[in-house]
């Protein structure tokens, strides 16, 4: 009897394995096909304009293929269609790596309307949770959506930014000596990889006021945070292709490098955090204010101590995870922007390049003569440099889309013009199309545009025509620090080095909807003989 049962189980086992594999493949295929079926067959999406002009599953799948493998050509066509229509209709665009498989591109006239809606109706948090898969890319959802980020960043990198610039400048000087000056040869020239160099100098300088001493000088900690920032978004992107029922089995393996980075960073950061916690606890017992280093790590520890859920938040590993996410947010955007900025400057036409460099140096020297060089107020007065950076950002947004939100309102949301979007839909702005619109920004790339504009817009000013830092209450509170950090870097480079001009700008690298500057290109700097 037992032998017969054993034989029966052995005969059944291959079938069970086969059925499990086939069933999993079918479920996975359905997961990938679901966006096409929903967009093509659901009445909720029948009123929107398709970028492919033809509705249907086949048309959707073809557009999805083009987004993934021919994104440059497809989005050029999308730009033409969106900008060529005078109506206020919404365009449906397949985006294979987003959680729903497609996004609804909102006309510029309606952007302010949806970003001002209550969080429960049009939600940034809901979109963030879908996009970043935080249960696997970090230590849980509370790490990425906790309000501590906005409050701490606003206080430390806006209200108290002026008090921190001396520290950032000190670190920047040391970082440039190590990353650039050390590579200058006997001929006075240095060939550097701009992407890698910008990564090193920006990460170290920013961490001076984010992680503080001694972590900003700990190479293993720096490497762990940089590696986490470099792989975080890609891991989250690929995770969205995996069906929810398989994520508990596959994502821990796929995201293991991220967890390894958190563990490595924690090895060095935990003793520092516990030391500061001891200072806080001792000061609290004595009824006095704790004396802590002037950096964001101290601010996040203090915020965790005061949090209503401090039993969970006031934990070294939670604080380390928050610091890793914070580093990801600031380091990637600053790296892309700085690299694009240098490429745009050194590829200006002959004559324009020389004039721009000369005028930038004249502006720097004129403002330095006022006695507050490298201060917050000093950087606010660099109008020409601000114009150059703003134009580079305007012309080279990090991605094709931005201002993403998820519709959370029960029954959906209706715009003032009567267009209705269903609950669960993802709204976005085609920011590259809007920011390269010749009707708004005539004449192509113009580094002096803001100085010639009667309103003199700054790179930190936000509007439906300039969306790099977001719009509405979700606008980036760290944009003022980004402004100072980029100006600090470019000021040092202009004062200490001559750039070799390029005839042709290095072509950016497309990663579906992302548009990154080339990370392998070498530029030439020549040490200046400063009088």
């Amino acid at each position: 009897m037992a032998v017969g049962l054993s034989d029966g189980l052995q005969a059944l086992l291959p079938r069970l394995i086969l059925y499990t594999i086939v069933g999993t493949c079918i479920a996975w295929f359905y997961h990938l096909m679901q966006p096409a079926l929903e967009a093509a067959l659901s009445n909720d999406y029948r009123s929107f304009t398709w970028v492919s002009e033809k509705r249907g599953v086949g048309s959707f799948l073809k557009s999805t293929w083009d987004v993934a493998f021919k994104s440059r050509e497809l989005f050029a066509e999308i730009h033409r269609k969106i900008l060529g229509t005078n109506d206020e209709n919404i365009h449906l665009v397949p985006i294979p790596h987003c959680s729903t498989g497609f996004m609804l591109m909102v006309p510029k006239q309606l952007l302010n309307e949806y970003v001002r809606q209550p969080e429960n109706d049009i939600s940034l948090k809901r979109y963030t949770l879908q996009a970043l898969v935080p249960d696997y890319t970090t230590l849980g959802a509370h790490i990425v959506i906790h309000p501590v980020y906005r409050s701490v960043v606003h206080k430390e990198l806006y209200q108290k930014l002026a008090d921190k610039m001396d520290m950032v400048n000190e670190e920047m000087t040391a970082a440039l000596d190590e990353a650039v000056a050390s590579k200058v040869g006997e001929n006075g020239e240095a060939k550097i990889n701009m992407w890698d160099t910008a990564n090193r100098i920006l990460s170290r300088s920013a961490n001076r006021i984010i992680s503080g001493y001694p972590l900003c000088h700990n190479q293993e900690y720096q490497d762990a945070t940089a590696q986490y920032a470099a792989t975080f978004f890609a891991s989250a992107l690929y995770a969205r292709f995996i069906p929810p029922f398989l994520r508990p089995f596959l994502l821990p393996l796929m995201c293991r490098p991220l967890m390894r980075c958190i563990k490595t960073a924690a090895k060095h950061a935990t003793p520092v955090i516990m030391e500061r916690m001891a200072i806080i606890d001792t000061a609290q017992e004595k009824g006095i204010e704790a004396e802590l280093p002037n950096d964001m790590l101290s601010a996040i520890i203090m915020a965790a101590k005061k949090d209503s859920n401090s039993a969970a938040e006031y934990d070294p590993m939670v604080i380390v995870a928050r610091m890793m996410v914070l580093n990801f947010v600031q380091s990637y955007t600053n790296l892309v922007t700085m690299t694009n900025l240098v490429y745009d400057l050194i590829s200006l036409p002959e004559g324009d390049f020389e004039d721009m460099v000369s005028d930038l140096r004249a502006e720097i020297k004129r403002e330095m003569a006022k006695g507050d060089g490298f201060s917050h107020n000093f950087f606010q007065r660099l109008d020409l440099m601000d114009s150059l950076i703003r134009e580079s950002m305007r012309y080279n947004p990090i991605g094709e889309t931005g201002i993403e939100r998820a519709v959370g309102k029960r029954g959906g949301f209706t715009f003032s013009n009567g267009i209705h979007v269903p609950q669960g839909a993802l709204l976005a702005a085609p920011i590259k199309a809007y920011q390269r619109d010749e009707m708004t920004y005539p004449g192509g790339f113009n580094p002096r545009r803001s100085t010639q504009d009667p309103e003199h817009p700054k790179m930190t000013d936000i509007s439906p025509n300039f969306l790099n830092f977001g719009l509405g209450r979700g606008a980036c509170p760290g944009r003022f620090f980004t402004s100072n950090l980029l100006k600090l870097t470019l000021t040092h480079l202009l004062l200490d080095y001559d750039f070799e001009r390029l005839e042709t700008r290095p072509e950016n690298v497309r990663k579906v909807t992302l548009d990154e500057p080339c990370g392998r290109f070498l530029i030439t700097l020549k040490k200046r003989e400063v009088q």
Side-chain angles (χ1 to χ4, degrees):
M1 181 71 178
V3 174
L5 180 61
S6 175
D7 291 342
L9 289 175
Q10 289 181 2
L12 182 61
L13 185 60
R15 293 186 180 182
L16 289 176
I17 294 174
L18 177 61
Y19 294 155
T20 300
I21 293 174
V22 171
T24 299
C25 291
I26 292 173
W28 203 323
F29 179 74
Y30 175 75
H31 172 74
L32 298 176
M33 285 291 296
Q34 187 177 6
L37 296 172
E38 184 176 10
L41 304 179
S42 172
N43 289 329
D44 290 336
Y45 298 97
R46 204 169 281 278
S47 62
F48 305 121
T49 302
W50 283 41
V51 293
S52 58
E53 297 182 350
K54 295 181 179 180
R55 295 175 55 85
V57 175
S59 177
F60 185 96
L61 294 177
K62 182 182 183 303
S63 294
T64 301
W65 175 270
D66 289 342
V67 168
F69 300 104
K70 299 179 181 179
S71 58
R72 188 184 304 277
E73 297 84 355
L74 178 68
F75 276 103
E77 180 66 11
I78 290 173
H79 294 178
R80 186 188 65 78
K81 290 179 179 178
I82 290 177
L83 297 177
T85 57
N86 295 319
D87 58 26
E88 294 185 349
N89 201 6
I90 288 177
H91 288 73
L92 188 151
V93 179
I95 306 288
H97 59 270
C98 78
S99 59
T100 59
F102 57 90
M103 289 184 176
L104 302 179
M105 298 297 160
V106 179
K108 191 188 298 186
Q109 306 94 304
L110 300 178
L111 294 183
N112 273 318
E113 188 171 340
Y114 84 82
V115 299
R116 291 174 178 172
Q117 298 305 313
E119 171 65 25
N120 288 338
D121 292 351
I122 305 293
S123 176
L124 176 60
K125 289 182 181 179
R126 194 184 300 263
Y127 171 76
T128 301
L129 291 176
Q130 294 175 8
L132 300 184
V133 201
D135 287 338
Y136 302 99
T137 55
T138 182
L139 302 186
H142 67 293
I143 298 295
V144 299
I145 63 171
H146 197 285
V148 68
Y149 290 112
R150 176 160 290 275
S151 60
V152 168
V153 169
H154 179 76
K155 182 178 180 180
E156 298 296 317
L157 297 187
Y158 175 59
Q159 295 178 341
K160 297 169 65 175
L161 179 57
D163 300 333
K164 302 178 186 293
M165 288 314 300
D166 284 344
M167 294 185 291
V168 181
N169 183 42
E170 177 185 339
E171 209 63 40
M172 175 67 71
T173 302
L176 284 167
D177 285 344
E178 182 180 297
V180 182
S182 64
K183 296 183 179 180
V184 175
E186 294 181 358
N187 63 351
E189 294 184 355
K191 289 188 178 295
I192 63 169
N193 179 303
M194 191 60 222
W195 176 274
D196 291 342
T197 303
N199 191 20
R200 292 179 63 185
I201 61 179
L202 294 175
S203 177
R204 177 171 171 177
S205 302
N207 262 300
R208 177 64 182 88
I209 61 171
I210 293 177
S211 301
Y213 283 131
L215 294 176
C216 67
H217 287 171
N218 185 307
Q219 193 58 54
E220 190 173 22
Y221 174 83
Q222 290 295 314
D223 290 344
T225 57
Q227 180 66 22
Y228 185 84
T231 57
F232 181 91
F233 188 78
S235 298
L237 186 152
Y238 295 131
R240 295 173 228 160
F241 290 101
I242 299 176
F245 75 95
L246 286 178
R247 290 179 180 181
F249 306 102
L250 298 182
L251 289 192
L253 297 175
M254 193 176 80
C255 296
R256 184 177 294 174
L258 294 177
M259 296 302 105
R260 192 181 301 123
C261 288
I262 293 177
K263 184 177 180 180
T264 301
K267 179 177 70 173
H268 301 287
T270 297
V272 176
I273 293 170
M274 293 185 69
E275 180 181 349
R276 297 190 189 188
M277 284 179 165
I279 294 173
I280 294 171
D281 294 341
T282 300
Q284 188 178 46
E285 291 173 2
K286 296 180 178 180
I288 60 176
E289 186 174 344
E291 294 186 7
L292 297 169
N294 184 19
D295 54 48
M296 289 192 68
L297 177 58
S298 294
I300 287 179
I301 295 173
M302 286 295 297
K305 177 72 172 177
K306 297 175 182 179
D307 194 89
S308 58
N309 189 27
S310 60
E313 296 296 321
Y314 197 58
D315 177 87
M317 278 304 297
V318 172
I319 292 170
V320 170
R322 292 204 187 287
M323 296 298 293
M324 299 292 275
V325 172
L326 184 63
N327 263 295
F328 157 71
V329 172
Q330 68 85 23
S331 66
Y332 179 74
T333 53
N334 289 340
L335 171 59
V336 171
T337 304
M338 187 69 221
T339 307
N340 273 325
L341 171 62
V342 171
Y343 287 168
D344 287 335
L345 174 62
I346 64 178
S347 59
L348 287 172
E350 189 173 0
D352 291 348
F353 166 72
E354 290 79 6
D355 289 345
M356 175 57 69
V357 170
S358 176
D359 291 348
L360 285 169
R361 285 176 177 153
E363 179 180 66
I364 291 168
K365 292 177 181 178
R366 181 182 68 246
E367 298 305 324
M368 275 192 165
K370 297 178 180 178
D372 60 351
F374 301 112
S375 70
H376 176 69
N377 289 336
F378 165 76
F379 292 122
Q380 299 312 297
R381 300 194 302 268
L382 299 181
D383 292 334
L384 179 59
M385 186 178 293
D386 192 280
S387 178
L388 168 65
I389 299 173
R390 179 184 169 93
E391 184 71 355
S392 179
M393 294 178 65
R394 190 275 299 179
Y395 202 75
N396 302 289
I398 293 175
E400 294 285 349
T401 65
I403 326 295
E404 293 91 348
R405 302 287 190 274
V407 180
K409 186 176 183 180
R410 187 183 299 274
F413 173 76
T414 302
F415 285 93
S416 58
N417 64 354
I419 294 179
H420 182 80
V421 290
Q423 183 180 7
L426 294 186
L427 305 178
I431 62 174
K432 194 168 187 178
Y434 293 160
Q435 294 184 183
R436 288 197 176 188
D437 183 4
E438 281 287 323
M439 295 293 291
T440 306
Y441 296 104
F445 186 86
N446 177 7
R448 300 177 188 268
R449 188 182 301 276
S450 291
T451 62
Q452 297 164 352
D453 187 327
E455 296 184 1
H456 299 299
K458 293 283 191 178
M459 63 172 285
T460 51
D461 294 339
I462 55 176
S463 75
N465 291 323
F466 187 76
L467 298 163
N468 291 68
F469 291 117
L471 191 66
R473 67 175 181 275
C476 174
R479 61 188 185 275
F480 305 96
F481 172 63
T482 291
S483 171
N484 282 7
L485 184 63
L486 297 176
K487 291 173 184 175
L488 174 64
T489 308
L490 188 57
T491 296
H492 275 292
L493 290 175
L494 285 168
L495 292 179
D496 295 340
Y497 300 94
D498 286 320
F499 290 93
E500 183 177 284
R501 192 182 75 85
L502 301 177
E503 288 294 335
T504 304
R505 188 193 191 281
E507 188 171 345
N508 281 17
V509 178
R510 298 293 302 222
K511 296 181 178 179
V512 193
T513 60
L514 296 180
D515 195 15
E516 290 182 352
C518 178
R520 298 181 179 181
F521 194 84
L522 299 181
I523 69 168
T524 301
L525 300 177
K526 186 172 183 178
K527 185 69 177 177
R528 297 182 71 218
E529 295 296 333
V530 182
Q531 300 297 324

